[in-house]
Amino acid sequence: MDSAKQRYIELGDFLKTRRARISPSRVGLPEGGRRRIPGLRREEVASLAGIGVTWYTWLEQGRPIQVSAQLLESLARVLMLDKEETVHLYTLARQAPPVYYPAYNQTIHPMHQHVLDSLTLSPSLILDTRWNVIAWNRAASLVFLDYSLVPIGKRNLIRLMFTDSPYRQLFDDWELYAQGVLARFRAAYGKYVADPWLVDFVEELRSLSKEFDRWWPMHNVEKEQEKYKIVRHPALGQLDFEHTSYLVSDDTSLRLYVNTPMAGTGTGEKIRQLLGQTAQPVC
């Protein structure tokens, strides 16, 4: 057997073993239903990674398929690979390993999630350096988007800002706001300009969004800063926030974004009302 064919087979076998060790509950899927083998099904991995089931099946079967760094990033995130496993995955796929290793495991330290949950009326998120959404609180799900419904491989704030129509409609002056977000992303991009994932990500977004394609070559940059944010919620109407961000102390690749209701605007009461209307049942 030639080395190239063996490499594809090795890649397929590696993906199977990593898939088998991930329980559905770890990625937010129900445990019910009969499963012939442990772990996730192929179609579940494909859905979470945002790729086609047939394509992923061929990949596990060891067929000679070309894969991009961005796709490998999605698979590494869904399969919760550590740094060594990620390097192995990229090596088998004949791609340069990333120069930056995000936290692929979508579960953050319980203390950080507790901080998010304690910010009851403040929609809050934790993002990594690539602006992937790693964690969020209930207020963020209700005001902005239920991020649990977005495949892990596409759970990225820049992608949502430029490709998700309902998300775009939350902002009255979307163009101005989106350009500011893109400028802050561009500043972060400069630190990891050789990262293959980012190269593929930018190329894809330029093909998906005419605005992204038009603004990206302008090279506008902007630092993270406190600012006021206005959101136009479909049920609550105008919401006014003070937007602040903080580095997570034990992992500076993560940043906490907090949207605090502005005093005197009624925003806090509106969110309190929304939380009450959608109260989760007590078991």
Side-chain angles (χ1 to χ4, degrees), residues 5-274:
K5 186 173 182 180
Q6 181 59 42
R7 182 183 295 273
Y8 286 118
I9 292 175
E10 185 76 13
L11 174 59
D13 289 344
F14 178 68
L15 290 172
K16 291 175 192 175
T17 61
R18 302 306 95 173
R19 172 167 61 88
R21 71 180 185 178
I22 305 295
S23 65
S25 61
R26 290 185 68 188
V27 292
L29 297 174
E31 292 280 2
R34 298 182 61 182
R35 293 176 180 265
R36 293 179 298 172
I37 58 173
L40 298 176
R41 300 186 178 101
R42 283 174 174 169
E43 57 267 27
E44 291 170 336
V45 173
S47 176
L48 290 168
I51 60 179
V53 178
T54 299
W55 192 95
Y56 179 74
T57 300
W58 288 349
L59 192 60
E60 277 201 1
Q61 290 174 345
R63 300 198 187 189
I65 299 174
Q66 295 299 315
V67 294
S68 67
Q70 188 178 346
L71 187 141
L72 292 173
E73 160 80 9
S74 295
L75 289 176
R77 186 176 295 279
V78 170
L79 297 175
M80 301 182 180
L81 304 185
D82 60 24
K83 180 176 179 178
E84 288 71 26
E85 291 170 326
T86 301
V87 171
H88 186 60
L89 174 66
Y90 277 70
T91 301
L92 289 174
R94 292 187 170 180
Q95 287 277 3
V99 293
Y100 156 66
Y101 300 92
Y104 293 116
N105 192 330
Q106 292 296 291
T107 58
I108 60 173
H109 193 288
M111 185 181 300
H112 299 148
Q113 187 62 56
H114 178 69
V115 171
L116 285 171
D117 294 338
S118 69
L119 298 169
T120 310
L121 301 181
S122 299
S124 303
L125 308 168
I126 291 179
L127 307 183
D128 67 12
T129 311
R130 294 169 173 173
W131 290 58
N132 292 311
V133 180
I134 304 300
W136 57 92
N137 63 6
R138 186 159 167 258
S141 290
L142 296 174
V143 170
F144 295 115
L145 174 70
D146 187 349
Y147 299 97
S148 67
L149 300 180
V150 181
I152 293 175
K154 298 184 181 299
R155 200 178 290 164
N156 180 283
L157 211 60
I158 303 299
R159 176 188 289 275
L160 292 169
M161 179 64 65
F162 283 92
T163 66
D164 188 271
S165 180
Y167 193 85
R168 290 174 57 142
Q169 292 173 11
L170 291 172
F171 307 97
D172 278 344
D173 194 348
W174 176 83
E175 287 203 2
L176 180 63
Y177 184 77
Q179 288 183 64
V181 169
L182 183 58
R184 295 194 294 278
F185 173 72
R186 186 76 192 232
Y189 172 91
K191 301 175 184 178
Y192 308 103
V193 68
D195 185 342
W197 182 92
L198 281 171
V199 173
D200 288 345
F201 179 74
V202 168
E203 183 179 350
E204 181 188 18
L205 280 189
R206 293 193 69 171
S207 70
L208 293 175
S209 167
K210 65 179 186 297
E211 294 92 352
F212 187 97
D213 185 51
R214 185 168 70 250
W215 298 334
W216 184 254
M218 295 179 181
H219 287 264
N220 292 333
V221 294
E222 180 180 304
K223 68 177 182 178
E224 287 291 342
Q225 55 188 311
E226 289 72 29
K227 59 179 58 183
Y228 297 107
K229 177 191 294 184
I230 297 176
V231 172
R232 187 70 61 181
H233 191 271
L236 302 179
Q238 180 171 320
L239 301 176
D240 299 83
F241 295 105
E242 296 172 342
H243 176 78
T244 54
S245 67
Y246 312 88
L247 290 175
V248 175
S249 59
D250 63 348
D251 187 346
T252 55
S253 70
L254 301 179
R255 185 178 287 271
L256 169 65
Y257 290 82
V258 180
N259 296 283
T260 305
M262 286 183 62
T265 65
T267 298
E269 288 306 313
K270 290 179 181 179
I271 295 178
R272 192 188 307 277
Q273 178 184 6
L274 184 62

